[in-house]
Amino acid sequence: SVRNKEYVGVIKHDTAIHFEGVCKPISKVLRYRLPISLLKFIDDFGSYVLAPKGYVLKHVLSLAVEKMVEDFPIPPLHYENHLKILNPDQQVIVDQLKVKEFSCIFIDGVTGSGKTEVYFHLAQKILNQGQQVLILIPEIALTAQLLKRFEDAFGISACVWHSRFQKKDRKLTWHRAIQGHPMVVLGARSALFLPFQNLGLIIVDEEHDPSFKQDTQLIYNARDMAVLRAKCEQCPIYLGSATPCLETYINAKEGKYQYFPLKNRFNASMASIVLVQDRSSHLMSPSLMMAIHERLKKKEQVLLYINRRGYAPVVMCQECRCRIFCKRCSVSLVYHKKESMLLCHYCGFRYDYPPTCTRCKTQDAFIFSGVGVEQVYEEASQLFPHANIQMASSDVMKSTAHMDRFLNLLQSRECDIVIGTQILAKGHHFPHITLVGVIDADMGLSGIDFRSAEKSYHLLHQVSGRAGRGELTGEVLIQTFDPKHPLFQSLCHHNRDEFYDFECEARRAAMLPPYGRLTLITLSGRDKAMVRQHSFICFDQIPKSESLSVFGPMEAYLSPLRGQYRYQILLKYPKNFHIQLVLKRWMMVSQHSSISIHVDIDPL
């Protein structure tokens, strides 16, 4: 008991503690023991991301130990085997699985090549050994369809772990994990901290996905830390993707990861990709509108993709040119027409759409700049009035129930056109979609992020993979102002490695990841002058080294953000440079009572 509140702690028997003073009594000793491999993971994790080990341990214990009782009866899980027969390329991957031995394997599988079936066969081999399996997925939205496929393969549902799942079910999963029950857990990045007693395999699906990066509170990349956990557990880890991150691509190319390709679609051919430059007064080009008409006549389904929520990202008064900004963040409020609301996509600030400009008092003078998913939906409804059109974004799909209803509409072919953001770009299997139209493919290519082209390629390749996954041939129309860009040329010719090699040369010349390393230090607080002053003090305190380049301090691109002013310092160094040793000493002298300091090792 600490300050009249009970806490759960862990005693490490290998640690000698010399304490002078009065010790508080332990009220209860729980029967569970955390495995040595997990304690090692906690230590190594905290050392790498520079987080207190007690804070990492808190994520391991989580909600599952609240009001824990000695006897927690849990029925065993009985997995059946209804797995499909694999083709030779898939079977090779499963046959080389070595249990109880650390190895990192990259499955380079094009969209629709059957990576999920390989995962299930790998899981079955581990279950036969009486061990546990962790399958990490990037998005909660992917859970419903993957769960259905899992249930068809094993006769029961997988144990699910993510923030939107019911608390009592997560608690049951936590107890099963620590008691060592043979099980398969399907989870988001936080599932990495489950106290598995007998973990035999980790699978990271869509390993390139930026959703695996947590950039608040405990900052880490779940993909990289999954490799660390597999090493601590001495078990194999499989990374799967059609568009790997450049780090994984280089590791596989240099032989650090075992490499297995799946280059052919399962009972389907790759969709043809056409670049479209012709535009009209509509958001959709004449070529795209004609292609949609043809698909609707054939009773086939269409996916229109634009990666921007809401109706328009910028609202401006045409009289005084005033833009409506968030009061807590340095960003424009996004207009959501369906709710007649202006919304900040960073802090969640909401503001009713105003009838008059607050500055010049002109009535109904607002104009909209940029295009969002609602605007595309509005135009499609006007152009194709007889089609059943559905919209899919995180604003609409607020729960698994919403996603289930939407997927059922697609599967039953009640939906003709679906208009969505990146929530539909990855992992889903839509066998009746034969046409994908990308409305604004140039959107992600501009900006300050050196990874912008790589991220755009990932998304465009993934959304292109939603077309033609069934018996019918698929087609993808990509609207762009720059069809000669290497990214679009590589997509069009299905030559991913050409684009990757082009990106790698640029990264190598600048010694950026994967050829160099980065660390981002962010200082934030409510007093801008104080944050700025302390950022210069921190900059001067960073130890100098010939191998370490220090940039900044500079005001962050988004400042303020959620009411906090932010300054940043960027560190660049070779791959063999141990930045943690440098920053541990620096963090001891850089603290300030009213300023938060966040260190992001390997920022995205």
Side-chain angles (χ1 to χ4, degrees):
S1 174
V2 180
R3 293 180 181 174
N4 297 321
K5 185 177 178 181
E6 284 194 339
Y7 290 88
V8 177
V10 174
I11 300 172
K12 288 184 69 176
H13 294 284
D14 62 340
T15 305
I17 300 175
H18 302 285
F19 178 73
E20 295 181 2
V22 179
C23 291
K24 294 241 179 182
I26 296 174
S27 58
K28 186 178 184 180
V29 178
L30 302 173
R31 64 189 176 97
Y32 292 128
R33 289 177 181 267
L34 295 183
I36 303 275
S37 57
L38 178 57
L39 296 176
K40 177 172 172 46
F41 172 69
I42 292 169
D43 287 344
D44 293 349
F45 184 106
S47 297
Y48 186 82
V49 303
L50 295 173
K53 291 167 188 177
Y55 192 52
V56 183
L57 176 63
K58 183 179 178 182
H59 283 67
V60 173
L61 300 178
S62 70
L63 56 84
V65 292
E66 295 174 5
K67 300 178 181 178
M68 189 187 290
V69 293
E70 285 293 336
D71 296 312
F72 196 88
I74 300 176
L77 297 172
H78 300 287
Y79 294 92
E80 300 172 6
N81 188 340
H82 305 299
L83 298 174
K84 296 177 182 179
I85 298 174
L86 301 179
N87 63 37
D89 290 339
Q90 294 170 317
Q91 192 63 49
V92 166
I93 301 173
V94 177
D95 289 342
Q96 65 77 49
L97 173 66
K98 296 179 181 178
V99 297
K100 299 181 181 179
E101 180 181 313
F102 171 69
S103 57
C104 194
I105 301 99
F106 169 50
I107 302 177
D108 186 4
V110 298
T111 51
S113 61
K115 293 188 292 293
T116 303
E117 293 301 326
V118 173
Y119 300 157
F120 290 169
H121 276 262
L122 291 168
Q124 181 65 61
K125 289 188 74 171
I126 296 299
L127 289 173
N128 291 342
Q129 299 287 325
Q131 293 184 286
Q132 300 165 319
V133 180
L134 170 62
I135 303 177
L136 290 178
I137 57 173
E139 297 278 1
I140 294 174
L142 301 180
T143 308
Q145 200 169 44
L146 195 54
L147 272 177
K148 177 66 171 64
R149 295 180 66 181
F150 186 94
E151 192 168 342
D152 292 341
F154 292 99
I156 61 172
S157 293
C159 300
V160 180
W161 184 275
H162 61 65
S163 58
R164 293 187 191 174
F165 213 61
Q166 291 186 12
K167 191 173 179 179
K168 63 177 183 179
D169 293 320
R170 279 190 286 160
K171 192 167 185 177
L172 193 63
T173 297
W174 193 95
H175 283 268
R176 277 203 172 102
I178 200 168
Q179 290 179 23
H181 287 240
M183 64 189 301
V184 179
V185 175
L186 185 67
R189 56 180 180 249
S190 59
L192 189 63
F193 298 102
L194 280 170
F196 292 104
Q197 198 72 238
N198 193 14
L199 187 59
L201 173 67
I202 300 176
I203 296 170
V204 183
D205 190 28
E206 307 290 1
E207 62 84 31
H208 65 276
D209 198 289
S211 299
F212 281 124
K213 177 75 175 187
Q214 177 163 306
D215 54 8
T216 57
Q217 297 179 336
L218 187 63
I219 301 174
Y220 66 97
N221 191 314
R223 180 199 64 229
D224 298 341
M225 294 300 102
V227 175
L228 176 63
R229 175 109 197 229
K231 191 172 183 179
C232 294
E233 300 284 350
Q234 283 299 293
C235 74
I237 178 170
Y238 284 74
L239 309 176
S241 177
T243 54
C245 66
L246 281 187
E247 286 81 356
T248 299
Y249 176 76
I250 292 299
N251 282 334
K253 206 170 183 180
E254 294 178 349
K256 294 179 181 177
Y257 292 171
Q258 294 181 51
Y259 174 76
F260 290 95
L262 291 174
K263 294 300 184 184
N264 298 312
R265 277 190 160 187
F266 198 76
N267 295 329
S269 58
M270 295 297 293
S272 62
I273 299 178
V274 180
L275 303 177
V276 180
Q277 199 174 13
D278 55 328
R279 296 291 180 97
S280 65
S281 57
H282 295 288
L283 301 176
M284 287 174 267
S285 64
S287 301
L288 180 55
M289 285 188 281
M290 189 180 301
I292 294 173
H293 275 296
E294 291 176 358
R295 302 293 170 170
L296 293 179
K297 284 181 184 178
K298 297 176 183 178
K299 304 297 182 182
E300 297 170 7
Q301 293 176 323
V302 177
L303 167 62
L304 297 179
Y305 168 77
I306 180 165
N307 195 28
R308 187 177 280 142
R309 294 158 53 199
Y311 187 88
V314 176
V315 180
M316 180 187 296
C317 175
Q318 59 184 341
E319 294 295 328
C320 66
R321 316 309 290 177
C322 171
R323 288 167 60 182
I324 304 180
F325 283 90
C326 176
K327 294 181 178 180
R328 302 180 67 231
C329 308
S330 57
V331 294
S332 297
L333 292 176
V334 179
Y335 177 47
H336 288 250
K337 190 173 184 178
K338 188 177 179 181
E339 299 175 285
S340 189
M341 185 78 66
L342 295 170
L343 178 65
C344 176
H345 288 174
Y346 288 91
C347 71
F349 173 75
R350 288 175 173 267
Y351 183 63
D352 289 335
Y353 181 70
T356 60
C357 175
T358 54
R359 179 187 287 179
C360 68
K361 306 302 179 184
T362 305
Q363 192 167 6
D364 298 326
F366 290 112
I367 56 175
F368 306 113
S369 177
V371 180
V373 66
E374 289 183 1
Q375 199 171 153
V376 179
Y377 176 84
E378 184 178 88
E379 180 173 284
S381 300
Q382 295 169 356
L383 293 172
F384 312 103
H386 301 296
N388 185 336
I389 305 174
Q390 298 292 324
M391 187 167 56
S393 69
S394 57
D395 300 307
V396 180
M397 307 296 171
K398 294 181 179 179
S399 69
T400 53
H402 289 127
M403 179 58 80
D404 287 344
R405 283 196 294 270
F406 168 74
L407 293 175
N408 288 333
L409 282 175
L410 276 177
Q411 294 293 341
S412 61
R413 307 184 76 166
E414 295 178 50
C415 171
D416 301 313
I417 302 174
V418 56
I419 302 170
T421 60
Q422 66 173 330
I423 197 171
L424 296 180
K426 50 213 171 187
H428 295 292
H429 178 64
F430 305 129
H432 308 303
I433 288 179
T434 57
L435 175 66
V436 169
V438 180
I439 301 300
D440 187 358
D442 307 300
M443 185 189 302
L445 291 178
S446 59
I448 61 171
D449 185 4
F450 72 89
R451 286 189 172 93
S452 59
E454 179 190 356
K455 292 176 181 177
S456 293
Y457 186 91
H458 290 166
L459 277 173
L460 292 176
H461 188 285
Q462 291 288 332
V463 77
S464 298
R466 300 313 109 198
R469 294 173 70 94
E471 297 178 358
L472 299 174
T473 305
E475 183 182 18
V476 182
L477 297 184
I478 298 178
Q479 294 184 168
T480 172
F481 288 112
D482 187 12
K484 294 184 179 179
H485 193 287
L487 184 154
F488 299 124
Q489 288 297 312
S490 297
L491 278 172
C492 194
H493 296 101
H494 298 286
N495 194 341
R496 182 201 68 191
D497 290 1
E498 180 183 47
F499 171 72
Y500 274 35
D501 292 340
F502 174 82
E503 278 289 292
C504 284
E505 284 306 310
R507 303 274 186 93
R508 194 198 306 269
M511 288 306 294
L512 289 169
Y515 301 100
R517 299 276 303 279
L518 297 175
T519 289
L520 185 66
I521 300 170
T522 302
L523 298 91
S524 58
R526 297 194 174 276
D527 188 324
K528 182 177 181 179
M530 186 180 294
V531 175
R532 183 180 185 277
Q533 181 184 8
H534 192 63
S535 69
F536 279 92
I537 294 172
C538 289
F539 176 85
D540 293 335
Q541 290 173 339
I542 295 174
K544 303 299 181 287
S545 169
E546 291 183 1
S547 301
L548 180 63
S549 300
V550 187
F551 303 95
M554 186 176 182
E555 190 169 5
Y557 176 64
L558 294 177
S559 180
L561 181 67
R562 302 181 185 93
Q564 297 281 313
Y565 291 94
R566 308 187 308 146
Y567 275 77
Q568 294 179 325
I569 301 170
L570 183 67
L571 311 180
K572 187 173 80 167
Y573 46 93
K575 292 172 71 173
N576 59 356
F577 186 82
H578 295 291
I579 193 66
Q580 288 86 351
L581 297 177
V582 173
L583 291 180
K584 275 182 182 178
R585 296 193 298 269
W586 171 82
M587 291 175 73
M588 293 178 183
V589 296
S590 62
Q591 300 302 316
H592 190 285
S593 58
S594 59
I595 295 174
S596 299
I597 299 177
H598 298 283
V599 178
D600 186 355
I601 308 289
D602 305 321
L604 291 185

